[in-house]
Amino acid sequence: MKSFSSKIGVLLAAAGSAVGLGSIWKFPYIVGENGGGAFILLYIACSLIFGLPLVMNEFLIGKLSGRSAYSAYRVVSGTNRWQWMAWINLLCVLAIMSFYFVVTGWCIYYMVEAASNTFAGMDAEALKAHFHAFEGHAPVMIIYATIAIVMTASVLWFDVNKGIERLSKILMPLLFIILILMAIHMVFLDGGSIGLRYLFEADFSKITSKVVLQAMGLSFFTLSVGVGVLVTYGGYMPKDQEVTSTSIQMIVLVLIVSLLAGMIVFPAVFAYGFSPTEGPDLTFVTLPAVFQHMFSPTLTCTVFFGLMCVAAITSTISMMEVMVAFLCDATSETKRPLNRHQSVVVIAVIQIITNTLCILSMTGNADWLSVMGQNLFDSANTIVTDILIPIGALGAALFTGWFVPKTRYQGSRVSSFLYLVVLRWLVPIAICIIFLDSVNII
Ligand code: PHE
């Protein structure tokens, strides 16, 4: 199996997976809805206390097996009893991708619209109408989601060290530079300091049990845990790569990007008298409206949505890679093994179908396509965050904590800490509480 060729390549590819719409789209609006600084502290605490051991754990499972998520659990444990984890991982990436590509398509569409100056002179009301008209228009959304799928597939067409690694080494530094420049620009706007205060002042009266759960869910989602991405990338790690330091560096990068996204959004929103509590519309309605007041609206808006596209595509690449590696690995044991190119085509076609169904269901063109009374876009989002990611993370923690012989981890600096406290007890108990709460049992 081909591997990444450098340690920095692994780090940037993993950070590319983690930094995505979660950090740049979800993080600011969830912070906005939950009162700012106190939520951020919770998010950071969840990422360090629960996220870090889970990230290390998944990297380690992949690295020890040197295989894809399909056979990693079997190879590491030496039994077939954990094969269900592989299928949970597969189901989870399939579900995430069926809405993630839709939003990636929105980002591409908005970047194109911004570059062609469509938003010039539009106020917040006009932009809201524009966004909702777009959200109801299936053909355009299908075209843009398909463009996102084809772009992702064309990177995966190459071996991991030539496609994912090379691209991450170019795009991730670019993403950081643009984020830092935009954050500096926004923070120095007149009135920008109000946004900064909102972001960093902690009002603990806003913290309820629901908010704690939301912080944990967001932290798992942004760190890409529980879905097999880190297991797959762990399988591509060079032998001498240290799991602990790579995991810490990856988490620090994600936290920095999320905070930078907050430092772009809130100063801008407050400087021009908008509200930060607009929910998911914050990025696609409020921000373009805010940018219209700035020195160079077309450029700022285009750069911002370009940045979102880069962040989103490096994440879709990681998810699709889980499926491609899975398919190659699973079929290698059959009479009809699929090579990488064939797997990429099969998975891309599956994605085009699931995304089209998702878009038809969310635009009201296929009312029969609903799960639990919600359209496919909303239900996939809920099922992933509330059910599949917690099960995937819980399963991986229990797997390492209780079932894998300790000798397998010998020689790794993380073993005793991982085994005895966090993965055995803390993570499982915390996830069970989230889960019971989300299904309203407690
Ligand atoms: N971490 C990504 C984000 O924040 C989403 C993601 C989840 C990517 C799971 C891969 C796997 O947008």
Side-chain angles (χ1 to χ4, degrees), residues 84-266:
W84 59 272
M85 272 294 293
W87 297 106
I88 289 280
N89 284 169
L90 185 71
L91 191 64
C92 191
V93 272
L94 189 66
I96 300 182
M97 288 172 87
S98 54
F99 66 84
Y100 209 94
F101 271 125
V102 176
V103 185
T104 308
W106 294 355
C107 298
I108 300 176
Y109 173 79
Y110 263 65
M111 183 181 70
V112 173
E113 291 272 278
S116 44
N117 220 4
T118 311
F119 304 137
M122 283 195 188
D123 62 7
E125 277 310 304
L127 279 156
K128 195 177 193 115
H130 181 81
F131 181 56
H132 291 302
F134 167 61
E135 250 188 336
H137 194 50
V140 184
M141 282 210 284
I142 292 173
I143 291 171
Y144 278 93
T146 306
I147 292 175
I149 295 169
V150 172
M151 283 167 70
T152 306
S154 49
V155 178
L156 297 188
W157 186 262
F158 301 96
D159 286 331
V160 287
N161 54 345
K162 300 220 180 73
I164 303 179
E165 183 170 357
R166 205 179 283 166
L167 194 81
S168 306
K169 280 183 175 165
I170 301 170
L171 289 187
M172 293 310 289
L174 186 72
L175 182 96
F176 284 114
I177 294 171
I178 300 177
L179 269 170
I180 292 171
L181 291 179
M182 280 198 94
I184 294 174
H185 179 56
M186 301 303 175
V187 166
F188 287 106
L189 287 174
D190 270 352
S193 59
I194 311 173
L196 275 191
R197 218 172 307 131
Y198 180 83
L199 187 63
F200 290 115
E201 236 168 38
D203 172 5
F204 287 99
S205 66
K206 297 255 170 48
I207 302 298
T208 61
S209 69
K210 274 268 174 287
V211 175
V212 177
L213 300 178
Q214 220 173 346
M216 193 178 302
L218 183 65
S219 152
F220 286 4
F221 185 80
T222 50
L223 293 178
S224 305
V225 295
V227 301
V229 165
L230 303 176
V231 174
T232 309
Y233 279 9
Y236 299 145
M237 273 186 182
K239 286 280 161 285
D240 58 342
Q241 181 139 8
E242 233 288 306
V243 164
T244 317
S245 51
T246 310
S247 309
I248 295 174
Q249 288 159 357
M250 176 193 132
I251 292 182
V252 169
L253 287 181
V254 176
L255 293 177
I256 292 176
V257 168
S258 301
L259 289 178
L260 282 174
M263 286 166 65
I264 293 174
V265 173
F266 294 109

